[in-house]
Amino acid sequence: STNLEEEGASIVAFKLVKDGKFQEKGITDILVNQEFGGTRNLKDNLSDLRAQVAANNSGIRLLQSLVNENGLENVEAYMHFIQRNAELAVRNMLKSFASKHGSRASAIDYLDDGSPIKLTIDIDTNTGNACFDFGGTGPQMLGNLNAPPAVTYSAVIYSLRSLVGQDIPLNQGCLAPIEFKIPPFSLLNPDKDVGVVGGNVLTSQRVVDVVLKAFKACAASQGCMNNLTFGDDRFGYYETIAGGAGAGPTWEGRSGVHTHCTNTRITDPEILERRYPVLLRRFGLR
């Protein structure tokens, strides 16, 4: 793909549930009336969306139960405590790093076409604030390895949580000390109409590698989610395949493991062969 329209349904905003009713007709019209086709299997799409609605409703019920049991004031207070704890953990990690390695860190990596992803981190040793400046990153490209800023935010919050020396829930508090500078129309902050599907699965991994490199944490991963996709006009299959994990100060690298943004389990062979017209001959290291 070279633009967003070629990558499927583009939805800016749509109210999926109105007055307690799932808006099947409305979302169906959006999915099917796309210039390049917004769906291969409408039935699966609708089932997935209903499952997400059900999950949200379950979350609402659980949250309401928590409030009923403990009171709204206590629940809100602990929500703030959790975020504040994450913020303090990140600030302490940043100050500790700066005390050992200096208040400025930097790293650079390159996509296969030579486009750089450059990062400079400036840390305030007093407050633990940090500026993540991606100035010097390459311009947006005609292909689909561009990544919206949300991808960079996600890669950074994942990296920071990994670097913190304590077990904390992932939450927005991790980014409270962080200021981002991402140049407009760079491959990490592209125009709204460019292709981005590859940025989500490849560029995201490279951003994580660059952040961890700047913090001298470990060597790079395989730098891609190694996504495999195939299908026709009736179905589509998508899988991420394990690659390599970088070595660190006290551990060796590993082959054949999922890393970072693709730290997930693969589809069971029995499920793959039952639901798709394929046979799995072998899955292993080459």
Side-chain angles (χ1 to χ4, degrees):
S1 57
T2 57
N3 62 71
L4 192 62
E5 287 186 341
E6 295 176 347
E7 296 181 355
S10 179
I11 303 173
V12 176
F14 176 74
K15 195 169 186 178
L16 188 59
V17 178
K18 185 177 181 181
D19 298 327
K21 296 181 179 179
F22 184 82
Q23 301 299 300
E24 180 173 334
K25 183 180 184 306
I27 191 63
T28 298
D29 289 342
I30 291 175
L31 291 174
V32 300
N33 294 322
Q34 298 281 329
E35 180 178 355
F36 293 95
T39 177
R40 292 180 179 180
N41 190 322
L42 179 62
K43 181 180 177 181
D44 281 0
N45 295 147
L46 294 176
S47 295
D48 287 344
L49 290 171
R50 285 194 172 94
Q52 292 175 49
V53 170
N56 284 332
N57 287 332
S58 179
I60 291 171
R61 290 191 297 271
L62 290 171
L63 185 56
Q64 289 173 337
S65 175
L66 189 65
V67 170
N68 292 336
E69 182 178 346
N70 298 282
L72 179 59
E73 184 176 344
N74 283 335
V75 171
E76 287 185 332
Y78 274 90
M79 286 180 173
H80 289 294
F81 295 157
I82 290 172
Q83 292 189 54
R84 180 62 176 157
N85 179 62
E87 177 184 345
L88 289 174
V90 171
R91 289 187 188 277
N92 289 336
M93 181 276 293
L94 291 169
K95 288 191 283 187
S96 175
F97 175 84
S99 69
K100 298 174 183 176
H101 303 285
S103 60
R104 169 166 285 196
S106 62
I108 189 169
D109 194 6
Y110 300 88
L111 301 182
D112 289 351
D113 69 349
S115 297
I117 297 177
K118 185 177 180 181
L119 171 62
T120 301
I121 304 171
D122 286 304
I123 302 171
D124 187 322
T125 56
N126 294 318
T127 65
N129 288 335
C131 176
F132 281 58
D133 187 350
F134 288 89
T137 294
Q140 68 183 41
M141 58 183 67
L142 183 62
N144 57 33
L145 296 184
N146 307 289
V151 170
T152 297
Y153 302 153
S154 298
V156 169
I157 194 174
Y158 159 79
S159 300
L160 291 174
R161 188 196 182 200
S162 300
L163 292 165
V164 167
Q166 55 184 283
D167 188 13
I168 59 173
L170 184 64
N171 64 80
Q172 187 65 22
C174 295
L175 291 184
I178 309 303
E179 175 190 1
F180 288 91
K181 292 183 179 179
I182 310 176
F185 305 112
S186 68
L187 64 89
L188 298 181
N189 189 7
D191 185 74
K192 61 183 178 64
D193 297 322
V194 302
V196 295
V197 65
N200 189 52
V201 298
L202 190 150
T203 310
S204 59
Q205 292 279 74
R206 296 295 176 88
V207 174
V208 170
D209 285 340
V210 169
V211 174
L212 296 180
K213 181 180 180 180
F215 280 102
K216 308 181 189 304
C218 63
S221 69
Q222 75 271 17
C224 180
M225 295 190 191
N226 297 342
N227 55 307
L228 167 70
T229 181
F230 60 86
D232 55 22
D233 58 354
R234 296 175 294 106
F235 78 93
Y237 177 79
Y238 187 100
E239 186 75 86
T240 59
I241 301 174
T250 60
W251 70 90
E252 297 181 352
R254 295 292 300 274
S255 297
V257 293
H258 283 81
T259 59
H260 305 321
C261 307
T262 181
N263 189 17
T264 57
R265 299 180 64 180
I266 65 169
T267 304
D268 292 330
E270 296 82 1
I271 299 298
L272 171 65
E273 295 182 341
R274 183 183 305 160
R275 297 184 180 178
Y276 296 91
V278 296
L279 292 175
L280 180 62
R281 298 292 188 188
R282 179 177 179 267
F283 186 83
L285 297 178
R286 287 188 293 184

